[in-house]
């Protein structure tokens, strides 16, 4: 992607209600995944793909922390825009419309992927697309694990996706939640494309490229508030197959007109090659996809997904432009001798941040531990995620938990399959199982 060809927008203002209680008092994009804020992965992705200028949209209560964090990316010129945390994604694009001057890439603030954005850009350019969507194809079975469990399907809300026979043209798109009774594809689509391959096994990665004129459409169609559930379905199902031009749709310039004429009027070249019958004289609306069949692509849009990310990201080593350091080691601030001693208590399948301390007779297995975590003596931790600045007292047993930042677990506690919000304190000698533990909100 050439530096001047596309603008990039990161939508990092979400409150993360589906990640509660991890987002209690924390903006979603600042939640850590394997030692880095979520927004780190989008910034690294754009940086690795040659972008120099990025617009980051966030909410007011995260502005200062994000502004400080952005200092770690001196190669990027970041335009930090504060938007209302309650507005939807298409509303955010309206709010920053004046700052976008060309075709633009939109990246969700909860996405982690190692896709090469120039592949998506190639699809957009070659097809002169209005909208190009990154979809993660269903995971292929691992031939090394014959007879094992099938590959996990994407978590999160599903969508019905209809593609042409080549798997490139996006002909139908609708969230499953918007289907009342049965799936019905309009006759107009089926007349033009008798063979449409429909599936709900693909993950919409929330990484899009849009033509600049789509912002003009949004300025008129105020009812469109969400990119994923309203804007993309509108472009795919209505604008792409409509008989009349939609608001903002540009007219074909004389230089783009073909040589064929009817009664002295030049015909658009596109009409004979991919046009779907829109009003003559307008640039056709075309929607395309890039199917990501290999590599990593996941969104932290649920607690389950957030949990899986923390375990998968540190172990992912596919590709040459992975937007995180796959060679990073646990105990980065320890000497070789200290690391050797710690390895007797902390399993090799764990990821541990800096300034970590652990007492005697304690063990940690299959867990992700953030920075500045202190573990007492005779503690057993298994299959847990502990965010930074958390302390665990002596004789504690924890299994299957997600623990927010700045938490404290009292001595001789037993905590199983629980989610703890930031700054929560578990009382000594207490037992909790299958609970969501949050701070009480003072009236």
């Amino acid at each position: 992607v050439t530096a001047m060809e596309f603008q990039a927008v990161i939508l990092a203002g979400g409150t993360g209600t589906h990640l509660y209680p991890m987002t209690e008092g924390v903006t979603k994009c600042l939640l850590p995944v394997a030692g880095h804020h979520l927004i780190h992965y989008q910034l690294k992705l754009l940086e690795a793909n040659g972008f120099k200028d990025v617009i980051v949209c966030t909410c007011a209560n995260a502005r200062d922390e994000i502004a400080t964090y952005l200092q770690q990316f001196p190669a990027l010129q970041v335009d930090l825009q504060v938007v209302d945390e309650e507005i939807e994604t298409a509303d955010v694009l309206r709010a920053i419309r004046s700052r976008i001057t060309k075709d633009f890439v939109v990246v969700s603030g909860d996405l982690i992927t190692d896709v090469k954005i120039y592949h998506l850009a190639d699809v957009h350019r070659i097809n002169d697309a209005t909208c190009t969507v990154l979809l993660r194809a269903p995971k292929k079975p691992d031939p090394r694990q014959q007879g094992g469990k099938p590959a996990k399907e994407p978590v999160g809300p599903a969508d019905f996706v209809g593609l042409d026979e080549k798997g490139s043209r996006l002909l139908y798109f609708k969230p499953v939640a918007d289907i009342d009774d049965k799936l019905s594809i309009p006759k107009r689509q089926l007349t033009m494309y008798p063979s449409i391959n429909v599936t709900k096994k693909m993950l919409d990665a929330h990484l899009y490229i849009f033509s600049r004129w789509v912002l003009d459409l949004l300025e008129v169609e105020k009812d469109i508030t969400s990119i994923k559930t309203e804007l993309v379905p509108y472009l795919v199902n209505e604008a792409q197959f409509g008989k009349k031009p939609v608001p903002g749709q540009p007219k074909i310039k004389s230089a783009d007109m073909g040589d064929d004429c009817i009664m002295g009027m030049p015909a658009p070249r596109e009409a004979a090659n991919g046009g779907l019958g829109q009003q003559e004289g307008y640039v056709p609306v075309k929607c395309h996809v890039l199917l990501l069949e290999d590599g990593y692509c996941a969104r932290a849009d649920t607690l389950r997904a957030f949990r899986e990310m923390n375990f998968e990201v540190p172990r992912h080593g596919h590709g040459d432009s992975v937007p995180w350091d796959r060679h990073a080691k646990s105990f980065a601030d320890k000497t070789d001798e200290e690391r050797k001693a710690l390895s007797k208590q902390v399993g090799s399948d764990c990821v541990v941040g800096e300034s970590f301390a652990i007492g005697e007779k304690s063990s940690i297995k299959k867990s992700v531990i953030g920075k500045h975590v202190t573990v007492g003596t005779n503690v057993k931790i298994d299959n847990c995620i502990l965010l930074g600045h958390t302390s665990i007292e002596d004789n504690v047993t924890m299994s299957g938990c997600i623990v927010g930042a700045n938490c404290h677990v009292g001595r001789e506690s037993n905590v199983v399959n629980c989610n703890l919000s930031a700054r929560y304190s578990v009382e000594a000698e207490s037992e909790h199982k299958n609970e969501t533990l949050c701070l009480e909100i003072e009236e």
Side-chain angles (χ1 to χ4, degrees):
V1 182
T2 60
M4 301 299 293
E5 190 172 3
F6 297 99
Q7 286 181 268
V9 179
I10 299 177
L11 302 179
T15 55
T17 54
H18 296 296
L19 293 177
Y20 183 83
M22 292 300 103
T23 49
E24 181 71 22
V26 181
T27 302
K28 180 167 68 169
C29 70
L30 294 175
L31 280 176
V33 171
H36 294 293
H37 292 319
L38 262 173
I39 194 173
H40 167 92
Y41 298 98
Q42 296 101 52
L43 291 168
K44 291 294 288 185
L45 175 69
L46 293 171
E47 187 178 57
N49 281 272
F51 285 86
K52 303 298 181 185
D53 300 296
V54 181
I55 302 173
V56 174
C57 302
T58 191
C59 50
N61 59 7
R63 177 190 172 97
D64 291 344
E65 189 170 353
I66 289 180
T68 300
Y69 189 70
L70 290 174
Q71 295 175 12
Q72 300 182 29
F73 296 86
L76 293 177
Q77 296 294 321
V78 180
D79 180 7
L80 186 58
Q81 292 292 307
V82 175
V83 295
D84 187 341
E85 66 179 15
E86 299 299 329
I87 64 175
E88 293 285 348
T89 50
D91 292 325
V92 173
L93 295 183
R94 281 193 193 91
I96 64 168
R97 176 173 177 261
S98 63
R99 312 190 84 82
I100 301 176
T101 58
K102 62 188 75 172
D103 289 5
F104 57 100
V105 178
V106 178
V107 187
S108 174
D110 60 9
L111 173 67
I112 300 181
T113 181
D114 58 357
V115 69
K116 293 178 174 62
I117 296 181
Y118 61 78
H119 288 166
L120 190 71
D122 285 345
V123 173
H124 190 79
R125 282 185 297 235
I126 292 170
N127 296 287
D128 194 21
T130 308
C131 168
T132 305
V133 181
L134 176 66
L135 297 176
R136 202 207 73 187
K139 290 184 178 180
K140 298 177 181 179
D142 191 340
R144 297 169 299 180
Q145 299 179 348
Q146 293 183 359
K149 295 181 180 180
K152 294 180 180 178
E153 294 299 332
V155 297
D159 307 292
F160 281 111
V161 176
L163 303 176
D164 66 358
E165 293 178 332
K166 295 180 179 179
S168 174
R169 190 73 179 256
L170 183 57
L171 303 172
Y172 185 82
F173 187 93
K174 199 162 190 178
V176 171
D178 291 346
I179 304 295
D180 296 327
D181 186 16
K182 59 182 179 179
L183 178 66
S184 177
I185 297 178
K187 183 178 179 180
R188 185 171 178 81
Q189 270 106 311
L190 292 173
T191 300
M192 296 181 179
Y193 285 85
S195 177
I196 300 179
N197 299 315
V198 180
T199 179
K200 63 175 182 177
K201 293 184 178 181
M202 294 181 182
L203 172 74
D204 174 12
H206 285 219
L207 199 165
Y208 314 99
I209 299 181
F210 291 107
S211 294
R212 170 60 177 77
W213 72 261
V214 171
L215 296 176
D216 300 328
L217 165 69
L218 290 177
E219 198 63 19
V220 177
E221 297 290 349
K222 300 288 188 181
D223 290 339
I224 298 176
T225 60
S226 166
I227 293 176
K228 187 259 178 65
T229 62
E230 294 171 348
L231 176 58
V232 174
Y234 178 84
L235 291 172
V236 174
N237 304 328
E238 297 183 41
Q240 189 171 216
F241 290 90
K243 294 181 179 180
K244 297 181 179 180
V246 298
Q249 186 174 346
K251 292 184 177 181
I252 296 177
K253 297 177 182 179
S254 58
D256 296 326
M257 303 298 282
D259 297 327
D260 297 333
C261 295
I262 298 178
M263 297 183 66
M265 295 296 293
R269 290 173 182 162
E270 182 59 30
N273 183 24
L276 299 183
Q278 291 142 339
Q279 184 173 336
E280 264 187 31
Y282 286 84
V283 174
V285 176
K286 294 190 288 182
C287 302
H288 284 263
V289 301
L290 173 67
L291 297 182
L292 183 65
E293 297 181 322
D294 297 304
Y296 188 81
C297 183
R299 292 183 57 225
D301 53 355
T302 65
L303 268 178
R304 173 187 164 190
F306 174 72
R307 178 186 181 84
E308 290 181 355
M309 268 186 175
N310 271 278
F311 290 110
E312 292 173 350
V313 166
R315 296 165 178 78
H316 179 73
H318 177 87
D320 299 320
S321 60
V322 180
W324 55 88
D325 183 5
R326 66 176 184 264
H327 303 296
K329 297 179 180 178
S330 294
F331 319 121
D333 57 337
K334 307 295 185 185
T335 65
D336 290 342
E337 186 175 339
E338 289 172 328
R339 279 197 286 267
K340 185 176 181 180
L342 286 167
S343 67
K344 296 178 181 178
Q345 295 176 270
V346 180
S348 60
D349 49 6
C350 295
V351 177
V352 182
E354 299 173 2
S355 301
F356 170 76
I358 186 170
E360 296 180 352
K361 298 181 180 179
S362 294
S363 66
I364 302 179
K365 300 177 180 178
K366 300 178 181 178
S367 296
V368 177
I369 311 297
K371 299 177 180 179
H372 304 282
V373 171
T374 302
V375 177
T377 61
N378 198 33
V379 173
K380 303 292 184 287
I381 298 176
D382 178 55
N383 200 30
C384 291
I385 298 171
L386 275 61
L387 303 190
H389 299 273
T390 289
S391 60
I392 312 296
E393 291 191 357
D394 300 342
N395 302 306
V396 168
T397 300
M398 300 185 72
S399 177
C401 297
I402 304 179
V403 180
N406 297 290
C407 284
H408 176 82
V409 180
R411 60 181 176 79
E412 298 182 19
S413 299
N414 184 22
V415 188
V416 180
N417 297 332
C418 292
N419 299 318
L420 281 65
S421 71
R423 301 180 301 281
Y424 188 85
S425 182
V426 176
E427 293 184 5
E429 301 181 13
S430 62
E431 292 204 12
H432 299 275
K433 186 175 183 180
N434 301 324
E435 297 180 50
T436 295
L437 305 174
C438 302
L439 292 173
E440 294 184 6
I441 301 176
E442 297 181 1
E443 297 292 340

